[in-house]
Structure formats: C-alpha cells, structure tokens
Amino acid sequence: MLIEARNISLDVPDMGHRVLIGKRRKLRILNNVSIALKKGETVGIVGESGSGKTSLGRSLLRLYEPSEGQLLFDGQDITHARAAELKPLRRRMQMIFQDPQSSLNPRHTVGSILSTALKLNGLEASETSITAVLDRVGLPSSSIRRYPHQLSGGQRQRVGIARAVALKPDFVVADEIVSGLDVSTQAQVLDLLKGLRAEMGLALAFISHDLSVVRSLCERVVIMKGGEIIEEGGTAEVFVAPRTAFTRTLIDSIPLPEVTPGWLDS
C-alpha cells in the first residue's frame, strides 16, 4: 500500500470548555479509523458536514498528527515524524483545497503561485515548465500572468490542481473540489482528474458529500459518521446493497438513476 492509516484517532482541544484552569477538555474528531490506498486507486471519502472526512484527509497527509494509531507512507512510519523528516516526502503528498479563492494568494499571479511551489520543492520553475503544467490541466499559457480574481471558479480550481500535480506527487487528497462549481464545470474537472490519475498513476483520496460525484470517479468508497468509518466497499457494491441505514439515507437523498450490478465495468 502507498498510504495506510491503522486505527488512527485525532483529539483536539475543546475551545468552549475547560476542565481545569489553563487546561481544556479534548474533543475526539477521528476515532479508530483505518484506511489504505494503493498506487493508482481512487477512494471516495463521504460524509455529512462534521463527520471527520476533511480531518481524515489532512491526517493522511500528516498535516495533523494522529493522537493514536499508526500512519505509513510507502512503508515508512510517519505517525510522529518531525518536519525535517517529512520534508523529503512533502512533494509526494499533495492536497487540492475546496476553495481555490482562499487557497490561492490573491497578490500573486498564477505563474508566481506555481513557480513558488516548484522552487520550494527543488524543481525547475521556468516559464516553459509552468506553461506545460497549465496546458496539462487545460489552461491557456496566457493564464501565467493572470491573478486568481481574473479567473472563473473552474479555472481557479484548475490552478489548484496544477499546483498539486506540478510536483509529480504519488498521493493527492482532493477536498470537496467540485462542490462550488456548476454541473458542466464539475464534469470537466472530474474528467481532468480521471485523466491525470491514469497518466500519473496517482493514489487519490476524493472527499465529498455528494455520492453521485463519488460514483462517477471512485473505485472504492468509505462512509463516515461521527469521526468513524461506518461502511466501506467497492463503489458499485455500496450503491447496490448498502449495509447501514445511514448509507441508504445518503443514497436516497440524491437523485440517482437506477443502479444495477456491473454498472462500474460498463
């Protein structure tokens, strides 16, 4: 496996309550979660707001340090690795954020944003290499001199994708990256992700609250509730025969065509 979480839990301070002077009660955001992705695999992480899916994604990238359990990347235990130990791995582990408007520096051009990411990771940051990355995600070379506010929402999200894939990662977490886009733009971004996954052999953790989007992209799906994984399996299997009432409720809450066995292979 490329990335593997074994029974990880995540506790954070409860900012609303103190149990002793100067000490805060802990809130458990993730509880005993296990998940693994192999190279080239796309797994959907689905749940309602507050279910812990984004916290899980950030924990898989070791942006959050697990309170319990073990996290491995390419066989290396990174559960409690220090920043210096993680630095050589950072290029291989990337995140595409939900809101490109806030994750892209408004004072920098697209070219500057990509150049900074490349230079920080010791990669070539010439105009030619940046233009090639833009072309790869379907943006014109003229985008290099534009600022984020001069782009559409779909174009900004493509810049976010470009920033991640420019580093030639092995593992990418995509956090609700199509939730603010219209249906047509969603389809274009999903097609882009499918192409990049196939081309680069990416392991992709795709976080979403929308099962219809997950159905079109992911081979496997995990369902989260209250910081725990309550169901997981092949996407077709989960859609056709969900094992929990909560999963059935999620499926029933969105307009879906009839699902039949074997649809994923068609």
Side-chain angles (χ1 to χ4, degrees), residues 73 111 150 166 188:
F73 181 77
Q150 296 175 311
Q188 293 170 12

Side-chain angles (χ1 to χ4, degrees), residues 30-50:
L30 298 175
N31 185 41
N32 198 36
V33 173
S34 296
I35 187 173
L37 288 86
K38 60 186 178 182
K39 191 174 178 65
E41 183 179 29
T42 300
V43 175
I45 302 175
V46 179
E48 298 175 319
S49 178

Side-chain angles (χ1 to χ4, degrees), residues 96-192:
I96 307 169
F97 296 92
Q98 177 178 2
D99 182 11
Q101 182 68 41
S102 60
S103 65
L104 300 176
N105 192 323
R107 298 183 178 181
H108 288 196
T109 63
V110 169
S112 177
I113 290 168
L114 297 181
S115 175
T116 299
L118 289 165
K119 288 178 180 177
L120 285 174
N121 289 275
L123 299 175
E124 181 188 355
S126 67
E127 184 168 331
T128 299
S129 63
I130 293 171
T131 300
V133 173
L134 291 174
D135 180 67
R136 198 175 197 181
V137 299
L139 288 172
S141 59
S142 59
S143 303
I144 200 169
R145 292 177 177 81
R146 293 184 179 177
Y147 290 87
H149 73 271
Q150 296 175 311
L151 305 175
S152 68
Q155 288 173 326
R156 284 194 294 268
Q157 197 55 276
R158 287 174 186 265
V159 175
I161 295 171
R163 181 171 57 183
V165 302
L167 304 182
K168 302 177 182 177
D170 298 308
F171 173 53
V172 170
V173 174
D175 186 9
E176 296 275 15
I177 67 168
V178 297
S179 62
L181 305 177
D182 62 66
V183 174
S184 176
T185 306
Q186 277 190 14
Q188 293 170 12
V189 171
L190 291 175
D191 284 343
L192 172 62

Side-chain angles (χ1 to χ4, degrees), residues 1-258:
M1 290 294 175
L2 180 65
I3 183 78
E4 186 174 4
R6 298 176 179 173
N7 305 112
I8 64 168
S9 295
L10 178 66
D11 298 327
V12 298
D14 182 352
M15 302 309 291
H17 298 85
R18 282 193 174 96
V19 292
L20 294 171
I21 295 176
K23 293 187 178 181
R24 293 190 181 275
R25 187 174 65 185
K26 296 284 188 177
L27 285 176
R28 177 142 291 194
I29 304 300
L30 298 175
N31 185 41
N32 198 36
V33 173
S34 296
I35 187 173
L37 288 86
K38 60 186 178 182
K39 191 174 178 65
E41 183 179 29
T42 300
V43 175
I45 302 175
V46 179
E48 298 175 319
S49 178
S51 63
K53 56 187 186 294
T54 292
S55 294
L56 175 57
R58 291 176 180 245
S59 296
L60 292 175
L61 294 171
R62 247 314 305 274
L63 298 176
Y64 296 158
E65 181 177 347
S67 306
E68 298 175 8
Q70 187 179 32
L71 182 65
L72 298 107
F73 181 77
D74 206 10
Q76 179 178 343
D77 189 336
I78 61 170
T79 314
H80 304 296
R82 297 185 299 273
E85 297 171 313
L86 286 170
K87 186 175 180 180
L89 300 176
R90 284 298 181 200
R91 182 188 65 77
R92 300 178 62 194
M93 309 163 66
Q94 291 295 306
M95 187 164 190
I96 307 169
F97 296 92
Q98 177 178 2
D99 182 11
Q101 182 68 41
S102 60
S103 65
L104 300 176
N105 192 323
R107 298 183 178 181
H108 288 196
T109 63
V110 169
S112 177
I113 290 168
L114 297 181
S115 175
T116 299
L118 289 165
K119 288 178 180 177
L120 285 174
N121 289 275
L123 299 175
E124 181 188 355
S126 67
E127 184 168 331
T128 299
S129 63
I130 293 171
T131 300
V133 173
L134 291 174
D135 180 67
R136 198 175 197 181
V137 299
L139 288 172
S141 59
S142 59
S143 303
I144 200 169
R145 292 177 177 81
R146 293 184 179 177
Y147 290 87
H149 73 271
Q150 296 175 311
L151 305 175
S152 68
Q155 288 173 326
R156 284 194 294 268
Q157 197 55 276
R158 287 174 186 265
V159 175
I161 295 171
R163 181 171 57 183
V165 302
L167 304 182
K168 302 177 182 177
D170 298 308
F171 173 53
V172 170
V173 174
D175 186 9
E176 296 275 15
I177 67 168
V178 297
S179 62
L181 305 177
D182 62 66
V183 174
S184 176
T185 306
Q186 277 190 14
Q188 293 170 12
V189 171
L190 291 175
D191 284 343
L192 172 62
L193 280 181
K194 290 176 185 178
L196 291 170
R197 177 192 62 186
E199 177 187 343
M200 303 176 68
L202 292 173
L204 177 65
F206 187 83
I207 298 170
S208 180
H209 65 277
D210 189 339
L211 276 169
S212 62
V213 172
V214 168
R215 176 189 173 191
S216 72
L217 182 68
C218 305
E219 295 95 351
R220 286 197 297 124
V221 61
V222 300
I223 308 295
M224 295 195 69
K225 182 181 181 183
E228 299 181 348
I229 292 177
I230 63 167
E231 182 166 358
E232 62 180 306
T235 306
E237 170 193 355
V238 170
F239 272 79
V240 172
R243 296 190 298 273
T244 69
F246 179 74
T247 304
R248 168 54 64 190
T249 299
L250 287 180
I251 293 173
D252 289 344
S253 69
I254 56 177
L256 289 171
E258 183 180 354

